[in-house]
């Protein structure tokens, strides 16, 4: 059997996992565990937790927020290159970059099983690629294909054995009663809009689903290892179907992709080709109305002619290969020593590396096997590089959902008026429909679920289901990152506020709209006024945004509301508007408060002023910054991927890449002006040294240090701005039009201008907000 197409699918699946992980890292990680995040993973250029290798941070970039973002965006570009070129170099660099991010051991990243599974599958993908520096691609190694099958076996069996573990050590009793899915859909981390439909299915359907889950995770893994091709293909199709169904029941980030990925190794090229032809014929019949059988024309003569041509091509190819093989011994001694012998040695070393990999992974399998058949299997890793992991997840299912609810209050309104401060995807306002974000990962929401819903059920059980006593205990054990998040929002940290699901213009009221004489507002107003360099005095700014005065935290029970619930629902005090006591909406959730305790926080403005001046939290950061960086990476990838040496000129493509690099650099360094100045200063000093020998260019006798400082201030104020980015984007549009105009029509050449148009819109919005 051949596995060339299977190898391509496996590498594209690994690239998709890398893309999801690095994109989440680039957008969220700085606010979550950066130097000024909720739980900092490194401070003062050093990692907080030692013990695990982070090669890129340790040996190349160093630790810091800028390095974290740069590495994440580079990982995005490498993932795109891996999907297109299927290169071992791209696979190796992607693995090293993502391993460096995971091994920082941040609370919001390290403890998730699909992060480990991505690293494990990514390590195997390096050896699955054809070795570099060879003219011809090598066949897909069967040993690595088998290791992917072994990965699918272990990950599935680990999930099943953890559900059969001892009660009290992680396994829930509902698995033995086949009733876990009766509560799973509303107690899972992040439900989606379809979760309520699955929750209200009949009881026999829930028991059938639980029984099928045991079949999937206990019986199906052993079918994957049988030597019969039909059985393996059937097992792979069943598991992919299970993961596809699971994708629609909840938001599990890219876990479904990471678990279905190894199952692709159960197929072969013949099966993939058959499925591809069937899908292509269905696609053509659907959109063109033509009948296509097997991907060929219906006419029998043309079919026969096609087969004859294919046989002739195969014979010619085989004869050419035999001729080249017969001529190799006649080559001269010099060419044999310089070319043929090193090539054979290189190929032999590649084969030996595959055998060594197989033996190494076989030896490492003893630890997860012991974990699988232990009394209470759990999720675990056994080395610093995630070569082997065990995936004993979802063994414990909650029966109730306890959810923290945040509300904020502005001091210029009535003191009893609280507005909901909802998370992006966790339940909050009863009438809000759940989100659908997979394969994107909302890390704050998941971490909040782990430390509240998945943990606080034990508090209720220990207090004999007394919700009043349990409520006070839950307030005391509120996760520290939630209290830090509340402080940051009250301090005016917009990066922390973007982690929530409330718009910034509602959370932070503009100065011109807040008319009050409250003393607290006056203190904050004084703190936020701008200092003009000419008068050296404070003047009020009309663009000042005032954060909330108070934020309170309560805990509620949540459950899905029935479909036949009343259209008008009484609104609890936590979501009550003084002008409206009812909402004319069907509720999606039923909520019930846990006890009477609450955590109410009001920030000390004087202490906040000192703390913010001392640390700073990127107050000038724009919400469009990530869009500009991401679109720059995507457009650069299009420029490289669509380049054709025969049709395209190298100069416009090089100009495109250079402009994209400049745009990306400006957007990335926008929040780090000090780092930019430190990087540019040596170059500027060299320019000043050159100017010593050109007195005519001075214009006036300016001291060298003042000249350097003036130039750097001008660079900081004028060059690092979104107005420059907008101008460069207009230039990019013109150059890209010249490049694309010479290409033939294709999907990518149509999609690429759409990306550039949206890129222009994003830069225009960012520059407009900066000017305001």
């Amino acid at each position: 059997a051949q596995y060339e197409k299977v190898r391509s699918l496996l590498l594209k699946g690994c690239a998709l996992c890398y893309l999801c992980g690095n994109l989440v890292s680039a957008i969220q990680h700085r606010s979550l565990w950066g130097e000024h995040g909720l739980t900092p993973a490194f401070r003062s250029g050093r990692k907080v937790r030692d013990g695990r290798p982070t090669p890129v941070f340790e040996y190349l970039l160093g630790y810091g927020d800028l390095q974290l973002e740069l590495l994440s965006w580079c990982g995005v570009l490498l993932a795109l290159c891996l999907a297109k070129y299927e290169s071992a170099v791209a696979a190796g660099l992607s693995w090293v970059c993502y391993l460096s991010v995971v091994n920082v051991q941040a609370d919001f990243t390290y403890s998730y099983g699909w992060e480990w599974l991505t690293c494990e599958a990514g390590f195997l993908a390096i050896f699955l690629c054809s070795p570099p520096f060879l003219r011809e691609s090598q066949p897909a190694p069967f040993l690595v294909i088998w290791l992917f099958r072994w990965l699918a076996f272990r990950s599935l069996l680990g999930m099943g054995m953890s559900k059969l573990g001892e009660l009290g050590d992680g396994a829930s009793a509902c698995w033995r009663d086949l009733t876990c899915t009766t509560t799973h859909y509303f107690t899972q981390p992040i439900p989606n809009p379809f979760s309520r439909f699955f929750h209200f299915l009949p009881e026999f359907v829930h028991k059938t689903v639980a029984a099928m889950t045991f079949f999937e995770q206990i019986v199906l893994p052993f079918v994957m290892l049988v030597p019969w091709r039909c059985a393996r293909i059937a097992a792979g199709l069943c598991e992919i179907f299970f993961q596809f169904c699971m994708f629609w029941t909840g938001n599990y980030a890219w876990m479904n992709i990471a678990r279905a990925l190894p199952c692709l190794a159960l197929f072969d090229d013949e099966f993939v080709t058959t499925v591809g032809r069937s899908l292509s014929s269905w696609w053509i019949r659907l959109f063109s109305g033509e009948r296509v059988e097997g991907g060929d024309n219906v006419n029998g003569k043309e079919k026969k002619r096609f087969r004859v041509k294919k046989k002739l091509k195969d014979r010619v190819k085989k004869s050419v290969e035999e001729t080249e093989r017969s001529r190799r011994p006649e080559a001269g001694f010099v060419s044999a020593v310089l070319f043929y012998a090193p090539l054979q040695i290189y190929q032999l070393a590649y084969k030996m590396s595959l055998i060594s990999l197989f033996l190494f992974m076989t030896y490492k399998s003893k630890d997860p096997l012991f974990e699988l058949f232990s009394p209470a299997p759990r999720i675990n890793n056994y080395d610093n590089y995630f070569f082997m992991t065990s995936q004993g997840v979802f063994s414990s299912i909650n029966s109730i959902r306890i959810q923290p609810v945040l509300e904020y209050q502005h001091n210029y309104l009535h003191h009893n008026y609280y507005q909901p401060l909802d998370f992006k995807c966790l339940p909050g306002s009863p009438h809000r429909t759940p989100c659908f974000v997979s394969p994107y990962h909302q890390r704050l929401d998941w971490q909040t679920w782990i430390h509240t819903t998945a943990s606080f059920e034990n508090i209720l059980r220990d207090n004999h289901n007394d919700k009043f006593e349990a409520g006070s205990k839950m307030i005391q054990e509120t996760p520290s990152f939630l209290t830090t998040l509340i402080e940051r929002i009250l301090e005016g940290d917009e990066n922390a506020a973007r982690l929530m699901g409330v718009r910034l213009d509602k959370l932070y009221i503009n100065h011109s709209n807040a008319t009050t004489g409250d003393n607290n507002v006056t203190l904050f107003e004084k703190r936020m006024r701008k200092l003009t360099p000419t008068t050296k005095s404070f003047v009020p700014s009309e663009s000042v945004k005032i954060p909330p005065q108070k934020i309170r935290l309560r805990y509620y029970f949540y459950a899905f509301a029935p479909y036949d619930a009343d259209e008008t629902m009484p609104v609890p005090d936590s979501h009550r508007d003084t002008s409206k006591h009812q909402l004319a909406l069907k509720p999606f959730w039923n909520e019930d408060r846990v006890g009477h305790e609450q955590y109410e926080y009001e920030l000390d403005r004087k202490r906040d002023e000192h703390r913010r001046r001392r640390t700073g939290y990127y107050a000038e950061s724009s919400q469009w910054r990530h869009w500009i960086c991401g679109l720059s990476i995507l457009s650069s990838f299009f420029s490289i991927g669509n380049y054709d040496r025969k049709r395209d000129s190298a100069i416009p493509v090089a100009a495109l890449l250079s402009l994209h690099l400049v745009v990306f650099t400006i957007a990335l360094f926008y929040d780090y002006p000090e780092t930019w100045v430190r990087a540019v200063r040596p170059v500027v000093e060299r320019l000043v040294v050159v100017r010593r020998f050109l007195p005519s260019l001075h214009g006036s006798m300016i001291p060298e240090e003042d000249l350097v400082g003036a130039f750097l201030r001008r660079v900081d104020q004028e060059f690092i701005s979104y107005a420059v980015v907008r101008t460069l984007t207009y230039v990019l549009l013109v150059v890209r039009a010249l490049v694309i105009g010479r290409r033939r029509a294709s999907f990518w050449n149509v999609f690429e201008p759409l990306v550039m148009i949206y890129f222009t819109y994003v830069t225009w919005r960012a520059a407009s907000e900066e000017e305001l």
Side-chain angles (χ1 to χ4, degrees):
Q2 295 182 352
Y3 301 96
E4 303 303 319
K5 296 183 179 179
V6 173
R7 170 168 66 180
S8 179
L9 291 176
L10 286 170
L11 292 177
K12 285 178 171 56
C14 289
L16 181 58
C17 293
Y18 281 134
L19 178 64
C20 296
N22 286 297
L23 191 62
V24 171
S25 175
I27 295 175
Q28 299 184 32
H29 281 180
R30 187 184 73 172
S31 300
L32 291 173
W33 51 266
E35 287 183 300
H36 306 295
L38 304 182
T39 57
F42 37 75
R43 292 190 181 95
S44 302
R46 299 191 63 180
K47 187 170 59 172
V48 174
R49 298 177 182 176
D50 295 327
R52 302 185 73 93
T54 53
V56 179
F57 289 123
E58 289 180 4
Y59 305 112
L60 189 61
L61 298 179
Y63 296 97
D65 290 349
L66 174 63
Q67 293 88 333
L68 174 62
E69 290 192 304
L70 178 60
L71 177 61
S72 301
W73 288 119
C74 290
V76 171
L77 181 60
L78 288 171
L80 295 173
C81 293
L82 175 60
K84 182 173 180 59
Y85 300 107
E86 300 175 3
S87 168
V89 177
L93 292 176
S94 298
W95 180 74
V96 172
C97 291
Y98 201 69
L99 179 73
S100 301
V101 174
V102 176
N103 271 348
V104 175
Q105 304 178 69
D107 295 335
F108 291 89
T109 306
Y110 179 72
S111 58
Y112 294 96
W114 55 83
E115 309 282 355
W116 306 353
L117 203 57
T118 300
C119 292
E120 185 176 356
F123 176 71
L124 296 179
I126 301 174
F127 297 88
L128 185 63
C129 298
S130 179
F133 313 116
L134 291 179
R135 294 182 179 179
E136 297 182 357
S137 176
Q138 297 295 309
F142 178 73
L143 291 178
V144 182
I145 295 292
W146 195 92
L147 288 176
F148 269 101
R149 296 176 181 176
W150 181 240
L151 173 59
F153 170 83
R154 288 186 294 102
S155 62
L156 278 180
L157 189 61
M159 296 175 64
M161 296 300 292
S162 64
K163 295 175 176 58
L164 297 177
E166 295 181 355
L167 298 179
D169 289 335
S172 298
C174 62
W175 285 115
R176 290 165 172 78
D177 302 333
L178 303 181
T179 58
C180 276
T181 55
T182 57
T183 60
H184 165 69
Y185 295 117
F186 74 89
T187 61
Q188 63 178 317
I190 304 179
N192 66 16
F194 303 100
S195 301
R196 184 166 68 160
F197 168 77
F198 291 104
H199 172 72
F200 287 110
L201 290 174
E203 185 178 357
F204 77 92
V205 177
H206 288 289
K207 290 191 175 183
T208 304
V209 170
M212 292 175 63
T213 302
F214 281 112
F215 170 78
E216 174 216 0
Q217 299 177 2
I218 300 297
V219 179
L220 209 59
F222 292 97
V223 182
M224 294 178 177
L225 300 182
V226 299
W228 298 295
R229 174 176 176 268
C230 294
R232 288 199 312 270
I233 292 176
L237 290 175
C238 288
E239 177 54 27
I240 292 175
F241 175 74
F242 273 111
Q243 294 298 330
F244 176 77
C245 294
M246 188 178 176
F247 176 82
W248 295 101
T249 61
N251 293 290
Y252 297 100
W254 64 92
M255 182 184 68
N256 307 116
I257 301 174
R259 296 199 183 282
L261 171 64
C263 299
L264 296 174
L266 300 171
F267 307 143
D268 53 24
D269 282 2
E270 183 180 354
F271 175 77
V272 173
T273 303
T274 304
V275 174
R277 286 179 177 176
S278 301
L279 292 177
S280 63
S281 63
W282 172 82
W283 184 267
I284 293 174
R285 285 198 305 267
L286 180 64
F287 288 96
S288 63
E290 299 178 1
R291 185 183 176 190
V292 180
E293 296 179 1
D296 300 331
N297 197 293
V298 182
N299 192 343
K301 294 182 179 180
E302 294 189 7
K303 273 188 172 183
K304 187 174 181 180
R305 191 181 300 115
F306 173 77
R307 292 171 184 170
V308 171
K309 287 183 179 180
K310 187 176 181 182
K311 289 182 180 179
L312 288 175
K313 287 182 180 180
D314 294 339
R315 289 180 182 178
V316 171
K317 183 178 180 181
K318 188 179 295 184
S319 62
V320 170
E321 290 178 354
E322 292 178 356
T323 304
E324 291 180 355
R325 202 178 293 114
S326 62
R327 290 179 178 178
R328 282 175 184 172
E330 300 177 1
F333 176 77
V334 177
S335 61
V337 172
L338 296 181
F339 176 74
Y340 185 68
L343 179 62
Q344 294 298 317
I345 294 174
Y346 183 70
Q347 292 179 348
L348 179 62
Y350 171 66
K351 295 178 180 178
M352 292 300 297
S353 66
L354 295 178
I355 297 175
S356 302
L357 172 69
F358 183 80
L359 296 176
F360 173 73
M361 299 300 282
T362 304
Y363 170 76
K364 296 288 291 184
S365 298
K366 60 182 179 64
D367 294 324
L369 286 177
F370 286 142
E371 185 77 32
L372 283 177
F373 298 101
S374 63
R378 296 179 180 273
I379 180 173
N380 202 352
N381 64 85
Y382 309 98
D383 52 70
N384 292 335
Y385 300 94
F386 305 103
F387 294 133
M388 279 284 174
T389 62
S390 58
Q391 298 290 325
V393 294
F394 291 110
S395 59
S396 177
I397 301 296
N398 295 95
S399 59
I400 57 175
R401 185 181 191 99
I402 302 173
Q403 182 68 45
V405 173
L406 299 177
E407 296 116 11
Y408 68 97
Q409 176 193 22
H410 284 287
N411 55 355
Y412 67 93
L413 295 172
H414 194 267
H415 68 280
N416 288 329
Y417 179 75
Y418 276 90
Q419 302 179 69
L421 181 57
D422 293 333
F423 292 87
K424 282 188 178 293
C425 291
L426 289 179
S429 302
H431 58 278
R432 193 179 68 154
T433 304
C435 60
F436 194 99
V437 294
S438 294
Y440 190 74
H441 186 196
Q442 296 291 351
R443 294 195 183 274
L444 177 63
D445 295 19
W446 266 82
Q447 196 75 3
T448 303
W449 177 86
I450 291 173
H451 288 273
T452 55
T453 305
S455 305
F456 283 178
E457 187 174 350
N458 296 327
I459 296 178
L460 187 65
R461 190 182 301 113
D462 295 340
N463 288 274
H464 308 287
N465 294 329
D466 186 350
K467 65 179 184 180
F468 297 100
E469 294 183 4
S472 61
K473 184 68 173 177
M474 293 175 190
I475 292 296
Q476 296 174 6
E477 297 190 7
T478 298
S480 59
F481 65 86
L482 277 183
T483 58
T484 305
L485 175 66
I486 294 173
E487 291 181 8
R488 296 292 174 82
I489 294 175
L490 290 173
E491 291 169 0
D493 184 6
E494 294 186 358
N495 288 277
R498 290 191 184 104
L499 297 173
M500 305 299 291
V502 180
R503 291 172 49 184
L504 291 182
D505 57 351
K506 292 185 177 181
L507 189 59
Y508 296 117
I509 303 298
N510 192 280
H511 173 269
S512 58
N513 297 331
T515 57
T516 179
D518 193 280
N519 293 330
N520 291 326
V521 177
T522 305
L523 288 174
F524 181 77
E525 187 177 313
K526 289 181 179 179
R527 178 173 63 84
M528 295 295 292
R529 287 178 179 177
K530 294 182 178 180
L531 180 65
T532 58
T534 55
T535 60
K536 302 296 182 181
S537 61
F538 287 99
V539 295
S541 174
E542 295 296 331
S543 61
V544 169
K545 296 180 180 180
I546 302 177
Q549 174 68 18
K550 296 180 182 179
I551 293 180
R552 70 181 179 187
L553 181 145
R554 297 175 174 180
Y555 286 96
Y556 282 81
F557 295 112
Y558 275 88
F560 284 133
Y563 283 100
D564 57 354
D566 296 334
E567 293 188 4
T568 56
M569 171 190 171
V571 183
D573 292 336
S574 58
H575 306 287
R576 178 165 295 170
D577 191 333
T578 55
S579 60
K580 297 179 182 179
H581 292 278
Q582 288 183 342
L583 291 175
L585 295 170
K586 281 189 175 182
F588 205 97
W589 298 94
N590 287 333
E591 64 174 8
D592 182 23
R593 187 175 172 185
V594 183
H596 295 299
E597 295 290 335
Q598 66 181 22
Y599 178 87
E600 189 169 304
Y601 197 88
E602 181 177 2
L603 197 64
D604 184 358
R605 300 296 183 186
K606 294 182 180 180
R607 182 175 61 85
D608 171 36
E609 179 181 359
H610 170 70
R611 181 177 180 178
R612 190 178 179 87
R613 185 172 60 248
R614 181 170 51 87
T615 57
Y617 306 123
Y618 311 112
E620 301 298 328
S621 182
S622 172
Q623 61 177 341
W624 302 103
R625 180 171 167 270
H626 292 136
W627 282 100
I628 294 175
C629 292
L631 290 172
S632 299
I633 293 292
L634 186 60
S635 300
S636 301
F637 170 73
F638 282 150
S639 302
I640 299 173
N642 292 337
Y643 173 65
D644 191 347
R645 295 181 180 178
K646 297 180 180 179
R647 293 196 309 268
D648 299 335
S649 175
I651 297 177
V653 176
L656 279 175
L657 291 177
S658 301
L659 289 173
H660 281 306
L661 179 62
V662 173
V663 170
F664 175 79
T665 304
I666 295 175
L668 183 68
F669 278 90
Y670 189 82
D671 288 352
Y672 311 99
E674 297 180 357
T675 307
W676 171 263
V677 169
R678 286 198 301 268
V680 174
R681 190 176 187 88
V683 179
V684 178
E685 289 177 348
R686 291 183 181 180
L687 293 176
V688 172
V689 171
V690 173
R691 282 192 170 190
R692 290 180 180 177
F693 302 97
L694 300 173
S696 60
L697 297 179
H698 273 283
S700 60
M701 298 303 296
I702 304 176
E704 180 179 338
E705 294 297 328
D706 294 347
L707 184 61
V708 174
F711 182 83
L712 292 178
R713 282 193 297 271
R714 179 62 61 86
V715 168
D716 183 16
Q717 294 173 2
E718 296 187 5
F719 183 68
I720 306 181
S721 66
Y722 291 126
V724 176
V725 171
R726 181 172 58 182
T727 304
L728 292 175
T729 307
Y730 295 154
V731 178
L732 274 170
L733 279 176
V734 176
V735 179
R736 188 167 294 276
L738 295 176
V739 174
I740 297 177
R742 300 182 179 181
R743 294 176 181 167
R744 60 186 178 185
S746 66
F747 170 77
W748 294 110
N749 291 338
V750 174
F751 183 68
E752 189 176 355
L754 298 179
V755 173
M756 283 304 304
I757 291 172
Y758 187 69
F759 192 9
T760 308
Y761 167 74
V762 168
T763 54
W764 177 79
R765 287 292 303 271
S768 301
E769 291 184 1
E770 184 185 43
E771 292 170 359
L772 289 176

